Amino acid sequence: WDRFDVTRHFELPAVFVTSFRRPLHRALSQFRFECVEDRGCKYKNITAWWEHRRDLYNVYTATFSDTPRMGRLALSQSSKDMEQGAQALGNALDTLLRYHLVLNMEWLAYAGKLVQSVLGFRDTSVLTRRVRPLISQRARQDGQDH
């Protein structure tokens, strides 16, 4: 989950694809991965963990603009920081415009034709399959797992 360095990748002979999901879902998934699945996380309360993980504030802007310290920028009220945040958002959008395909996780069921045409995949049935890491260890109780 390193930031995307636009100076090192776009000249490669490759197809660039990424996916997004709701930022809240992204953060909850990260909490589950780190803390619920016991991967060395010392926080068991999500509120305390969130205060500690300011690197996830504006995670997509930080990732695609290659802007460090987005958490500080997101919380700041100074005009200089707001200007830097706006510049970071613009840089992220410029980067994403260069991608061949950007998928929204909540709309994957509708992405089959795009994935076939851009990536050449024949079977896109996995786009609608619900996957959870270590499901045998952390099964949900709400009937959503297969």
Side-chain angles (χ1 to χ4, degrees), residues 7 31 56 58 60 69 87 90 93 110 113 119 123 132:
T7 64
F31 176 75
L56 292 175
N58 291 331
Y60 295 123
R69 300 184 325 275
Q87 181 65 45
L93 291 172
Y110 306 103
K113 288 185 180 183
L119 299 176
D123 180 6
R132 297 209 185 321

Side-chain angles (χ1 to χ4, degrees), residues 99-114:
Y99 272 65
H100 297 90
L101 184 60
V102 177
L103 299 169
N104 181 315
M105 299 298 278
E106 286 78 23
W107 290 42
L108 285 183
Y110 306 103
K113 288 185 180 183
L114 284 171

